[in-house]
């Protein structure tokens, strides 16, 4: 529910209030609720809905969701930050982030890596440091020294811990 509230808080992802539409999705059997979490009732439903999004719009959708979650007041929740990072990284794999976005997204990945390390999720931390390093610009040691050092040190640490 926190994720739904975070996406609704920014009003950038959907043209409707997701929280008010969830009961209909539950009633129609598209979603099920397990405690505070919602999930699709079947993987095929998720895959079908995702396939209905035009391929050239998917990367932008991931970026919009990720940035909305980062900008939401709920971003202090580690799970929200990690979800935002996952969405941003999906965008970065298929999209074309600007130089400014690369710096911002590298910092977001560094924060996600720290969160993953604190929960002993070293494989996830490694994926975040790898993406953060990939997003650093050509002259990152001159332009983003602290961030570069942070990412490379974390990468070395989690490589050893795996």
């Amino acid at each position: 529910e926190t994720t739904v509230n975070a996406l609704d808080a920014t009003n950038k992802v959907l043209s409707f209030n997701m929280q008010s539409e969830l009961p209909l999705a539950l009633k129609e059997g598209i979603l099920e609720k397990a405690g505070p979490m919602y999930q699709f009732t079947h993987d095929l439903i998720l895959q079908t809905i995702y396939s209905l999004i035009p391929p050239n719009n998917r990367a932008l959708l991931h970026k919009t969701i990720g940035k909305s979650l980062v900008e939401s007041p709920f971003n202090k929740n580690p799970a929200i930050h990690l979800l935002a990072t996952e969405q941003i990284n999906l965008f970065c794999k298929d999209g074309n982030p600007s130089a400014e976005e690369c710096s911002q997204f590298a910092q977001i990945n560094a924060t996600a890596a720290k969160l993953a390390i604190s929960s002993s999720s070293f494989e996830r931390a490694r994926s975040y440091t790898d993406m953060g390093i990939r997003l650093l610009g050509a002259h990152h040691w001159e332009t983003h020294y602290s961030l570069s050092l942070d990412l490379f040190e974390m990468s070395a640490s989690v490589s050893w811990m795996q």
Side-chain angles (χ1 to χ4, degrees):
E1 289 181 352
T2 304
T3 306
V4 172
N5 292 335
L7 289 172
D8 280 344
T10 60
N11 290 327
K12 292 181 182 176
V13 179
L14 301 171
S15 60
F16 58 89
N17 182 291
M18 193 182 314
Q19 190 71 39
S20 65
E21 299 298 329
L22 286 174
L24 178 60
L26 289 168
K27 179 181 173 192
E28 295 293 328
I30 297 169
L31 296 176
E32 61 188 10
K33 188 172 181 182
M37 298 189 56
Y38 292 91
Q39 62 187 28
F40 287 97
T41 53
H42 199 283
D43 290 343
L44 287 176
I45 294 173
L46 171 62
Q47 292 168 3
T48 301
I49 291 171
Y50 194 73
S51 72
L52 293 173
I53 302 168
N56 55 342
N57 292 351
R58 291 178 191 161
L60 183 59
L61 178 63
H62 289 299
K63 174 184 167 183
T64 304
I65 291 170
K67 287 183 81 170
S68 294
L69 290 171
V70 166
E71 295 167 2
S72 83
F74 297 92
N75 189 34
K76 301 298 183 228
N77 179 329
I80 296 293
H81 188 85
L82 293 174
L83 179 60
T85 306
E86 294 291 335
Q87 290 295 312
I88 287 168
N89 289 350
L90 285 170
F91 163 69
C92 291
K93 288 177 186 170
D94 299 326
N96 190 17
S98 68
E100 182 181 321
E101 287 175 329
C102 283
S103 297
Q104 178 188 11
F105 296 161
Q107 181 61 56
I108 289 168
N109 272 278
T111 302
K114 291 173 187 172
L115 292 169
I117 289 168
S118 71
S119 66
S120 300
S121 183
F122 303 120
E123 190 172 328
R124 266 182 103 178
R126 179 61 191 262
S127 73
Y128 296 137
T129 59
D130 286 351
M131 180 59 81
I133 290 168
R134 189 179 130 213
L135 290 167
L136 294 171
H139 303 287
H140 60 88
W141 288 110
E142 291 85 22
T143 57
H144 297 96
Y145 180 81
S146 295
L147 177 57
S148 298
L149 184 62
D150 201 22
L151 283 165
F152 277 92
E153 284 181 343
M154 282 191 290
S155 180
S157 294
V158 297
S159 293
W160 183 78
M161 292 177 194
Q162 281 183 306

